[in-house]
Amino acid sequence: MHDDLPAMDDDDLRRGRPTVHRAFDEATAILAGDALQTLAFEFIAGPATHPDGGIRSALVSQLAKAAGMAGMAGGQMLDIEADGNIERMQSLKTGALFRFACESGAILGGADPAPLRQYAEHIGLAFQIADDILDVESTPETLGKATRKDAGRGKVTFVERLGLEGAKEKANDLVVEAISALDVYGPTAASLRDAARYVVSRRK
Amino acid sequence: MHDDLPAMDDDDLRRGRPTVHRAFDEATAILAGDALQTLAFEFIAGPATHPDGGIRSALVSQLAKAAGMAGMAGGQMLDIEADGNIERMQSLKTGALFRFACESGAILGGADPAPLRQYAEHIGLAFQIADDILDVESTPETLGKATRKDAGRGKVTFVERLGLEGAKEKANDLVVEAISALDVYGPTAASLRDAARYVVSRRK
């Protein structure tokens, strides 16, 4: 909701429907985003998440880091500044939440988070590259949002950096690396392997 | 930062200095607000807050409720809608964070939160009434922000509802009630009594 606002990406559509500030107004989009962010913390901190309060607190700490200055919000700031370091921007803006989503499973299960962290880093970057590819190859009808906006705003993208074929190759390589990070889990990680493949095969 | 934005209260000054969106820009104010909100959760969930993870999680839950839809963000929405129910609006917008600030002490110390909750409700409402009084009696120089903005926007205030003298009387009554909620603590609550008196004696 916040990054769609006029002061940021100024997007009118999200998943084929009007963005919150278009359907309502800017104040509503700002406050609804604020309220939903707190709701995530309320949900995670609640007893239904895990019986051990220490584990719940660890999840809160990790989500807070992933969403804040060293994560999503900081990455969005770099995106707006368009400083050209797109690997670092991506690692913060979307990568941090991918890492949290994966690591939180290890935290909840008391397992080593390292393999899931590696997996998340690879699919996070593959996801962003796939996003840049869809931005030039897809249509607003299929994608459910405006396309070719990045070029119009002078933003560096992975497609521009690597070329279209180079970007596809890089995304596919990352999926292979993500899947090999799961070797330690054997056949139990099948759904994570499917998710990694989906990141580059999705059409929207 | 968020409620000063042009889409909401559109304030240029806060504590005598330019608001964040004036000193920088709107995107920075939105993202800095988002990042600071997560920082509060990161801080509270960290081990320095309390050795017991269950207590840290309880604090996170309470802060999330106080800041979200059933608290600050929801109250700000009511404020924007100017629906006229200023008691309910105040109870959510500023009251919820006053209650959390006070109750968190009881949660950390394993004490009954009821007296502190009562204290907080009274000083929270007194604070808002004092704010409305300062808005008509003070100057931008003393207050560090624009005055008489509420009337210009057709917002109902406690001064308008109760008259200036009625508002002062109500605020003073609430301070007396807040102080009597502290009786159970005896002389150890002296600083809380001072804080309650400050709420109505402050000049900015």
Side-chain angles (χ1 to χ4, degrees), chain A residues 103-127:
Chain A
E103 282 183 333
S104 58
I107 295 172
L108 280 164
D112 174 17
L116 286 168
R117 186 179 179 90
Q118 262 201 300
Y119 167 80
E121 280 180 4
H122 294 318
I123 64 165
L125 183 52
F127 182 92

Side-chain angles (χ1 to χ4, degrees), chain B residues 68-151:
Chain B
M69 200 172 68
M72 182 179 60
Q76 174 69 7
M77 195 74 213
L78 292 180
D79 194 13
I80 289 166
E81 290 173 345
D83 75 340
N85 187 342
I86 49 176
E87 290 80 7
R88 178 153 172 260
M89 183 274 283
Q90 181 283 322
S91 171
L92 297 178
K93 185 182 168 184
T94 53
L97 284 180
F98 269 89
R99 284 192 293 277
F100 172 73
C102 294
E103 281 183 335
S104 58
I107 295 172
L108 281 164
D112 173 18
L116 286 168
R117 187 179 178 88
Q118 262 201 299
Y119 167 79
E121 281 181 4
H122 294 317
I123 63 165
L125 183 51
F127 182 92
Q128 187 59 53
I129 296 173
D131 232 39
D132 289 352
I133 294 168
L134 287 171
D135 187 61
V136 295
E137 284 203 326
S138 189
T139 63
E141 292 68 37
T142 307
L143 210 53
K145 64 179 182 180
T147 54
R148 286 155 226 253
K149 289 194 71 178
D150 290 333

Side-chain angles (χ1 to χ4, degrees), chain B residues 10 13 15 34 47 52 88 90 106 108 111 115-116 135 166 181 184 186 189:
Chain B
D10 196 13
L13 284 178
R15 297 179 204 286
D34 289 345
D52 181 343
R88 178 153 172 260
Q90 181 283 322
L108 281 164
L116 286 168
D135 187 61
V184 60

Side-chain angles (χ1 to χ4, degrees), chain A residues 2 5 7-8 25-28 30-35 37-39 41-42 45-47 52-58 60-61 63-65 67-69 72-74 76-77 80, chain B residues 2 5 7-8 25-28 30-35 37-39 41-42 45-47 52-58 60-61 63-65 67-69 72-74 76-77 80:
Chain A
H2 286 183
L5 283 165
M8 289 193 254
D25 55 36
E26 285 186 48
T28 303
I30 296 166
L31 291 171
D34 289 345
Q37 192 181 47
T38 67
L39 191 61
F41 290 108
E42 184 180 338
D52 181 343
I55 285 183
R56 300 200 300 274
S57 297
V60 169
S61 293
L63 176 60
K65 281 176 195 146
M69 200 173 68
M72 182 178 60
Q76 175 68 7
M77 194 73 212
I80 289 167
Chain B
H2 286 183
L5 283 165
M8 289 192 255
D25 54 36
E26 285 186 47
T28 303
I30 295 165
L31 292 171
D34 289 345
Q37 191 181 46
T38 67
L39 191 62
F41 290 108
E42 184 181 338
D52 181 343
I55 284 183
R56 300 199 301 273
S57 298
V60 168
S61 293
L63 176 60
K65 281 177 196 146
M69 200 172 68
M72 182 179 60
Q76 174 69 7
M77 195 74 213
I80 289 166

